[in-house]
Amino acid sequence: METRAIRFRTEHRLQNALRWLFAGLIGLLLVLLLLFGWFSPVYVADESMLPTLEKGDTIFYDRLYRHFADFARGDMVVFRDPAGNLLIKRVVALGGETVEAKDGVLIIDGKYGMDEHRYTPTAPLDMQRTRVPEGQVFVLSDDRNYGEDSRNRSIGCLKTESILGIVRVRLRDFTFFTHEP
């Protein structure tokens, strides 16, 4: 009788241990799926997004966002340039809008003004008027001195389907990004 009770307790402990191990593995699998299926890490390789992102930062971008929502002005997006490099830029104009810059002020459709001094205080931005085709967005670096954005003919306006995702988290200080006007 005593042997049967000992065996029962041993089996019960083993079952509990296996149950906890299984729950832990499922939890780990969900975390990995979340981090590498829904979100993807990217290393910031240059200073084009200063002051928002610094060279050496690691960010996570939301890969599923583009399937469920439209991009908005102020979103930081991840895409590949023609050479295949990952770039991070900010959406400043949407499809159907015109964008231009005069004396350091970004003008959207002749009425929306965005103060450029918060991005590049040393170099006022001047840019000719550009019409953004429907289904595309116009992106700029936060540091407007960098020309690897929609001002560059090799990049131009981005088709929304070519955007890989939207920046959500900076790992350095766990900053969460949302829409920015």
Side-chain angles (χ1 to χ4, degrees):
M1 180 102 85
E2 191 173 317
T3 310
R4 187 174 185 195
I6 293 172
R7 189 177 59 193
F8 178 76
R9 275 187 288 214
T10 304
E11 286 176 6
H12 185 68
R13 284 185 190 143
L14 181 61
Q15 286 176 348
N16 273 344
L18 288 174
R19 204 174 290 139
W20 278 104
L21 179 64
F22 183 71
L25 288 174
I26 294 294
L28 180 63
L29 181 66
L30 288 174
V31 167
L32 290 175
L33 180 66
L34 179 71
L35 286 179
F36 297 105
W38 186 352
F39 292 97
S40 289
V42 172
Y43 174 79
V44 178
D46 61 27
E47 297 176 339
S48 68
M49 290 302 289
L50 280 172
T52 311
L53 301 175
E54 296 177 8
K55 183 177 181 176
D57 280 348
T58 299
I59 58 102
F60 281 92
Y61 71 93
D62 181 345
R63 295 170 54 172
L64 299 180
Y65 178 85
R66 66 189 181 125
H67 300 292
F68 300 106
D70 294 328
F71 295 104
R73 186 176 297 108
D75 286 344
M76 283 187 291
V77 295
V78 178
F79 63 95
R80 290 195 184 279
D81 68 5
N85 301 314
L86 285 174
L87 297 179
I88 304 165
K89 304 297 172 193
R90 188 173 304 278
V91 174
V92 296
L94 308 170
E97 297 178 336
T98 58
V99 59
E100 64 183 309
K102 291 181 183 174
D103 300 322
V105 177
L106 197 62
I107 302 165
I108 312 295
D109 282 341
K111 59 183 178 242
Y112 181 87
M114 213 168 145
D115 183 13
E116 288 299 287
H117 296 294
R118 73 187 253 192
Y119 297 110
T120 307
T122 59
L125 178 66
D126 285 316
M127 188 175 67
Q128 291 182 342
R129 181 178 297 187
T130 303
R131 181 153 185 79
V132 182
E134 289 295 333
Q136 297 185 22
V137 294
F138 193 93
V139 296
L140 289 175
S141 303
D142 278 2
D143 184 344
R144 305 296 196 233
N145 291 318
Y146 279 80
E148 293 296 317
D149 50 33
S150 290
R151 295 173 290 174
N152 184 325
R153 285 183 173 258
S154 69
I155 295 174
C157 293
L158 295 177
K159 293 181 180 178
T160 54
E161 59 265 12
S162 69
I163 296 173
L164 301 174
I166 182 172
V167 175
R168 287 293 186 205
V169 180
R170 179 177 53 213
L171 201 57
R172 173 174 35 106
D173 54 2
F174 291 103
T175 300
F176 292 85
F177 298 103
T178 57
H179 296 293
E180 182 178 315

